Amino acid sequence: MSVNYSISELARELDVTTRAIRFYEEQGLLAPERRGQERIYSPKDLVTLKLILRGKRIGFSLAECKELIELYDPSGGNRKQLEAFMSKIAERRLQLAQQLLDIEQMQLELDTAEERCLAALAEAPH
């Protein structure tokens, strides 16, 4: 028998808010079964939510997370999903490398501005 989760159980399991889970549901990323007003989440929903949270941690947008999740094909394996994931990882690495260069450049500009201010302060009368 598979384990199902209420929204509060799922939230506790993954340390997220119920509001976040409802947001992901509104975005079409989760589709729990309904029993009246109660949402019933399956183990698949748990895995999907784990993938969303992992994707967000490494800087993927919700659209990118959704794209990767939709590529999963239980009958044909997950090769397409993994290849797309590898491509997104490479893109993210390039973005981070550019951000790192931008930060380093900004630090150099701050160093220059600081040196100029210190020199001007040293020459200014008290």
Side-chain angles (χ1 to χ4, degrees):
M1 180 178 153
S2 68
V3 176
N4 289 315
Y5 304 88
S6 69
I7 193 168
S8 57
E9 291 168 337
L10 191 63
R12 225 180 357 266
E13 178 81 19
L14 296 176
D15 195 28
V16 295
T17 65
T18 56
R19 185 176 180 192
I21 294 171
R22 284 191 294 274
F23 173 76
Y24 295 137
E25 187 179 334
E26 289 167 10
Q27 298 302 307
L29 292 160
L30 296 171
E33 181 185 326
R34 293 283 191 147
R35 290 190 194 140
Q37 291 295 319
E38 187 181 11
R39 293 169 167 90
I40 307 297
Y41 294 90
S42 68
K44 180 180 182 271
D45 293 317
L46 175 71
V47 170
T48 298
L49 189 51
K50 282 182 181 180
L51 291 172
I52 293 166
L53 296 173
R54 184 177 302 142
K56 295 298 291 171
R57 271 195 314 274
I58 59 177
F60 290 171
S61 69
L62 274 183
E64 289 172 315
C65 291
K66 186 175 184 175
E67 178 186 334
L68 289 169
I69 290 164
E70 288 174 349
L71 284 174
Y72 180 69
D73 178 8
S75 63
N78 58 354
R79 184 173 186 84
K80 279 176 113 173
Q81 184 188 42
L82 291 171
E83 288 171 348
F85 190 38
M86 290 295 293
S87 175
K88 298 250 180 252
I89 288 170
E91 287 174 26
R92 187 69 183 132
R93 285 187 190 278
L94 287 173
Q95 289 172 347
L96 288 172
Q98 184 58 55
Q99 286 176 331
L100 196 54
L101 288 172
D102 292 345
I103 289 169
E104 289 169 351
Q105 182 61 41
M106 191 178 298
Q107 286 176 323
L108 288 172
E109 290 176 22
L110 287 169
D111 290 346
T112 300
E114 183 179 45
E115 287 171 13
R116 288 182 180 159
C117 286
L118 287 171
L121 282 170
E123 292 174 6
H126 289 27

